[in-house]
Amino acid sequence: QSALTQPPSASGSPGQSVTISCTGTTSDVGGYKYVSWFQQHPGEAPRLIIYEVNKRPSGVPDRFSGSKSGDTASLTVSGLQAEDGADYYCSSYTDSKTLVFGGGTKLTVL
Amino acid sequence: QVQLQESGPGLVKPSETLSLTCSVSGGSMSPYFWSWVRQPPGKGLEWIGYINWSGWATIYAPSLKNRVTISLDTSKNQFSLNLQSATAADTAVYYCARASGNIDSWGQGVLVTVSS
């Protein structure tokens, strides 16, 4: 299985919005609702911020939103704040009953 | 709220077996899938595999399936990872996690270095 494709980096100024893409295939992202996004700060474990494409766990600000179109999922962070600077990873369930991650995107808040 | 805690040796010699255990507290093992994920230093996340809540189903990443075994001990609320024939490329932070379609909870992670 190949990793999902994410841009290596993204950036935005405080208050702006930024969108991170996650491209797979019909065998993973395009075929299932089990697409998740994780936020990871340096030295910390990943934290679930979006599950099942567009759902937010309790405690996650509504500035984080998810969507999917075809084989590409997207994470949008609105009203960027300094603490949003982190690595972001997408993941998807696959036809092989495995999970696959994206390569990660480093988000910089300028 | 479920909590997961990894434990095991932080140093493994090349060609030996890397073994880790994850202790689960604050929740039932059912009806979840219990996973292992690793992250080499400075790199991204790699899913290793998972076992279901009763232990009768395991799924492994194709790249590791020939070397990896995940097992479950429901009496202790623990699950384990064994990775045979370890090499330097297996050096990583290893996380245990809970999944139900999506991974929703993570342990804090443990660094395992493969070196002589």
Side-chain angles (χ1 to χ4, degrees), chain A residues 36 40 44-45 89 97-99, chain B residues 39 47 50 95 102-103 107:
Chain A
S36 304
Q40 187 180 35
E44 296 183 4
Y89 295 91
K97 302 181 181 180
T98 62
L99 297 178
Chain B
Q39 185 171 35
W47 181 76
Y50 56 58
Y95 296 99
N102 312 271
I103 289 179

Side-chain angles (χ1 to χ4, degrees), chain A residues 51-81:
Chain A
Y51 68 100
E52 292 181 12
V53 176
N54 56 14
K55 298 178 181 178
R56 276 179 290 105
S58 60
V60 174
D62 59 6
R63 302 183 292 102
F64 293 91
S65 61
S67 62
K68 188 177 80 168
S69 177
D71 299 340
T72 298
S74 298
L75 171 72
T76 297
V77 187
S78 305
L80 271 175
Q81 298 184 4

Side-chain angles (χ1 to χ4, degrees), chain A residues 7-21:
Chain A
S9 63
S11 63
S13 299
Q16 289 186 333
S17 293
V18 65
T19 297
I20 298 170
S21 62

